[in-house]
Amino acid sequence: HNNGAHEWYSQIQGRRLFVMFSPQDVARGCLYEDAGGRVEGALDFVAACSPVDIFFPSERRHPKFAQAKPHVVVVRPGDTLVIPAGWWHYSVALEASVTLHHPFWNLHNRKRIADEFNENFDQSRMPPELQAQAARNLQQIREKIADDDDSDMDE
């Protein structure tokens, strides 16, 4: 999956396997990108996901996956892994584990933050006028981000 943000994972206890794929693999269609959404589990939401089972891929259903170049790492206690925005990843605990995880935003991926707000905000129970107001507010956030010329970052 791909969350749209940069992310860091710090391993406190146990070992965790990460399999990562670069944005180039996505651009070449190797991961068969599907639209994300709400998911069960700790993440609650992903920006995009893949139907490919990376451990038992189907050559018939996903022939381009064989062209993907996985980057594999096992993090151990004391290790921190940073995954840049745009990189797809899968992780699994190899034993009883404690892993700290946090997405973060910066100048590189900030334009995606308004979409992240919208995707994590359940509007289904809101009256239409509040849904419209929420959409206007998110559009204002997008415009402010787009108008920011980064002049304060030059110093």
Side-chain angles (χ1 to χ4, degrees):
H1 71 269
N2 177 355
N3 295 332
H6 300 303
E7 300 179 83
W8 59 256
Y9 294 83
S10 290
Q11 195 65 21
I12 306 302
Q13 179 180 333
R15 296 175 304 135
R16 180 173 283 273
L17 170 75
F18 284 85
V19 181
M20 298 163 289
F21 297 93
S22 75
Q24 289 79 18
D25 285 334
V26 178
R28 290 194 319 265
C30 298
L31 300 181
Y32 299 86
E33 178 177 7
D34 278 346
R38 295 199 174 282
V39 294
E40 297 278 332
L43 292 176
D44 293 328
F45 176 83
V46 294
C49 58
S50 172
V52 178
D53 180 336
I54 64 171
F55 296 112
F56 301 102
S58 168
E59 271 190 60
R60 184 179 52 78
R61 287 190 313 233
H62 308 114
K64 290 183 184 178
F65 183 70
Q67 300 168 20
K69 295 179 175 74
H71 301 262
V72 180
V73 66
V74 174
V75 292
R76 293 173 169 76
D79 292 345
T80 296
L81 175 66
V82 176
I83 301 176
W87 279 70
W88 287 56
H89 57 279
Y90 171 83
S91 74
V92 62
L94 299 176
E95 57 198 38
S97 294
V98 176
T99 308
L100 292 178
H101 160 255
H102 190 70
F104 64 97
W105 304 93
N106 65 9
L107 293 175
H108 174 74
N109 64 346
R110 67 186 176 166
K111 291 182 180 175
R112 177 88 174 86
I113 196 166
D115 295 330
E116 184 84 3
F117 288 153
N118 187 49
E119 292 161 352
N120 283 293
F121 186 66
D122 183 10
Q123 298 181 27
S124 65
R125 296 185 186 137
M126 295 173 61
E129 62 275 5
L130 286 180
Q131 289 180 14
Q133 180 63 45
R136 287 191 298 272
N137 290 346
L138 285 170
Q139 185 57 36
Q140 288 176 348
I141 291 170
R142 283 186 191 92
E143 290 169 5
K144 286 182 181 184
I145 290 171
D147 290 344
D148 184 1
D149 66 1
D150 303 334
S151 61
D152 58 337
M153 299 304 291
D154 295 337
E155 297 174 1

